[in-house]
Amino acid sequence: PGTGPEEYSTTLRDYSLPSSEPSPQHADQNERPEWYVGQPVAYIQQVFVKSIVFPWDKTLFAVDVFRSPLSRVFQLVEEVRNHVVKESSGAKNLEDMCLQVTDLLPGLKKLRGLLPEHGCLLLSPGNFWQNDPERFNSDPDIIKTIHQYEPKTLQTSATVKDLLFGIPGKYSGVSLNNRKHLVSYTITLVLQRYDSRED
């Protein structure tokens, strides 16, 4: 509604593509929204990571406490990139299944280096360091790096942190005020097609 995003989710069980005809307005809220028509452009699959920082040593700086759980993202992204699905027609790797990007949209050029410009559309917090663990390890202030793209004013749409962490930033746990000692993020894959075997 309006200019804000509208979410619609459906279960994987018995999933079928929507018809190419718009659905009539129904009072039943379980019906698909009128904009969900025809073949989707892409399918989103997320690998959700949730970790607890323990023991929580009060002598450590927050920057150092979050470094360990976030450092795991580079290994996980590598595992996802190297995953192979075996089919009767042969093996398929991630590059065969994911949505390919060829360039950034003009409005996103300022995020060059953060978002993939060519190849598979895969997002993770590792994008803040161009998916390079050495850059991450040599970053003296990872929290500053993550928050440098945050807007200074009230934001009603998703931020860079939301996009790369795959969840709303306030749920990531990566802040100087984290009292729960939890860090959460996703590795977000954008796939070309739905395949129930790729769950």
Side-chain angles (χ1 to χ4, degrees), residues 7 23 66 81 88 113 120 124 127 129 140 152 156 166 182 198:
E7 180 180 333
S23 65
F66 298 123
R81 285 192 184 283
S88 58
C120 183
S124 79
N127 288 59
W129 299 275
K152 306 291 186 246
T156 56
L182 288 172
E198 295 170 7

Side-chain angles (χ1 to χ4, degrees), residues 119-193:
C120 183
L121 185 48
L122 185 149
L123 302 171
S124 79
N127 288 59
F128 282 112
W129 299 275
Q130 291 77 45
N131 289 305
D132 181 351
E134 294 304 317
R135 280 187 188 208
F136 174 80
N137 290 331
S138 64
D139 186 343
D141 193 342
I142 60 174
I143 293 179
K144 181 178 178 186
T145 299
I146 292 168
H147 288 108
Q148 71 181 331
Y149 300 98
E150 293 297 291
K152 306 291 186 246
T153 59
L154 179 65
Q155 189 75 12
T156 56
S157 59
T159 66
V160 173
K161 181 180 176 185
D162 298 341
L163 187 63
L164 297 184
F165 273 74
I167 56 175
K170 65 182 178 180
Y171 300 120
S172 71
V174 178
S175 79
L176 296 174
N177 303 322
N178 183 352
R179 301 203 190 291
K180 294 182 179 177
H181 312 162
L182 288 172
V183 176
S184 302
Y185 58 86
T186 71
I187 295 170
T188 303
L189 297 158
V190 183
L191 303 171
Q192 295 178 43
R193 61 185 170 78

